[in-house]
Amino acid sequence: MPIMLRVIKGPMKGKSFALKKSTMFLGRSSKNDIQIRDTTISRKQIKLFLLGSKLFVEDLKSTNGTKLNGIPIVPGEGVEVGESDMLTMGDTVVQITGVEQGKVFPGSWPITTAAKAEKQEEQAETKERRSLARNMQLVVELGELLKEGLSLHNLCEKVLDFLLVSLPRIDRATLTLFNPDDSAITTIVSRTRSGQKEVLSPYSREILEKTLKTGKSIRMSNTQYEPPANLSDSIGILKIKSLMCVPMISNKQVRGAIYVDSLKRPYAFRKEDLMLLNALSGPVAIAAENALLTGQAP
């Protein structure tokens, strides 16, 4: 499966382009490998290139600049991009897919570009190690809480407190319990960053039910650019910009879910944030299963 660039917004919405070479140029001019007919982008806007199995994008000092997931790219520097990342160029938004399975083309790259990319990779690895260390610390702390014999409700309150402190981009967080015998969904605890206690709809029910049904995690970086089939009415009504929902699984049974969202900003959650939720979900799932077996669940 080749790496694909799918135009999801702009004059050429719906068009898709395959990355057929190790280095390709994109811009308004027909001389580019990929021509985007949009007057708001430069004649030569960006360069896409592969280093090993990693894909990078470089803004070629374009007039209006290029944004990766809403963050401006510094011109002249290669920035690594990943699966489902969004590139905004003028009025055009392009989504990148197939990076994880993409073909690696043979070729050579300038030493200066390779050196930049290597440095950025080292910086990314350092940041990832710090993030993983923080996440592991949270999981260890949660394990200690389990030893204290807290009630399920108190444990869940602690978990949401952890999340709100660790992920400042969360606006709302909810932890629900799921009984597989009757498919009943029970909200154990909800939190909002504003401290609002009674929230009419603390989560997107459709997203939560999908997670409980499939047992798979969901992360939407920017709901504005999600395919309509992935969205629900509640996402639009509640004006949810980005969200994550992970199942709590114990003994191959879905026991509930952890749900968080951001109402203020898109691209609020990263892949490592989803990893954190998944790591926290396991111990809570065990506590939820014990509560169900002993009849102590709400």
Side-chain angles (χ1 to χ4, degrees), residues 118-181:
E118 185 176 351
K119 183 178 180 181
Q120 288 171 347
E121 186 172 349
E122 290 176 356
Q123 292 173 341
E125 288 177 354
T126 301
K127 183 179 179 181
E128 184 178 359
R129 283 196 296 270
R130 290 174 181 169
S131 179
L132 289 174
R134 179 204 66 183
N135 292 355
M136 286 302 299
Q137 181 61 34
L138 288 172
V139 175
V140 170
E141 290 179 12
L142 180 58
E144 293 300 317
L145 287 175
L146 285 172
K147 295 178 183 178
E148 295 179 11
L150 294 174
S151 69
L152 179 61
H153 186 273
N154 288 340
L155 176 65
C156 292
E157 284 189 326
K158 293 287 187 181
V159 170
L160 293 197
D161 287 342
F162 281 158
L163 288 175
L164 286 169
V165 170
S166 303
L167 303 179
R169 298 172 298 279
I170 292 177
D171 287 325
R172 306 184 306 172
T174 300
L175 209 154
T176 62
L177 193 65
F178 178 66
N179 190 333
D181 294 332

Side-chain angles (χ1 to χ4, degrees), residues 65-133:
T66 302
K67 294 180 180 179
L68 173 61
N69 295 334
I71 300 174
I73 294 175
V74 177
E77 294 188 7
V79 178
E80 184 180 352
V81 293
E83 184 69 15
S84 298
D85 278 347
M86 309 277 190
L87 294 175
T88 301
M89 302 164 285
D91 293 335
T92 294
V93 178
V94 173
Q95 184 176 40
I96 299 170
T97 61
V99 175
E100 295 172 355
Q101 303 86 18
K103 178 180 178 182
V104 179
F105 297 92
S108 59
W109 301 273
I111 294 176
T112 53
T113 303
K116 284 182 182 179
E118 185 176 351
K119 183 178 180 181
Q120 288 171 347
E121 186 172 349
E122 290 176 356
Q123 292 173 341
E125 288 177 354
T126 301
K127 183 179 179 181
E128 184 178 359
R129 283 196 296 270
R130 290 174 181 169
S131 179
L132 289 174

Side-chain angles (χ1 to χ4, degrees), residues 50-67:
L50 284 160
L51 287 177
S53 60
K54 298 181 182 297
L55 177 65
F56 293 82
V57 62
E58 177 183 340
D59 180 82
L60 302 173
K61 298 182 180 179
S62 61
T63 302
N64 293 324
T66 302
K67 294 180 180 179

Side-chain angles (χ1 to χ4, degrees), residues 187-236:
T187 298
I188 304 176
V189 61
S190 286
R191 286 278 188 275
T192 64
R193 186 160 299 281
S194 63
Q196 186 179 355
K197 296 195 182 240
E198 295 185 8
V199 182
L200 183 61
S201 299
Y203 54 81
S204 168
R205 187 172 183 86
E206 292 87 345
I207 294 297
L208 182 71
E209 289 178 345
K210 184 176 181 180
T211 297
L212 295 173
K213 181 180 179 181
T214 63
K216 295 181 179 180
S217 301
I218 295 174
R219 177 173 71 99
M220 292 186 179
S221 298
N222 188 343
T223 57
Q224 181 181 353
Y225 299 134
E226 286 290 327
N230 293 349
L231 299 175
S232 64
D233 292 338
S234 60
I235 290 177

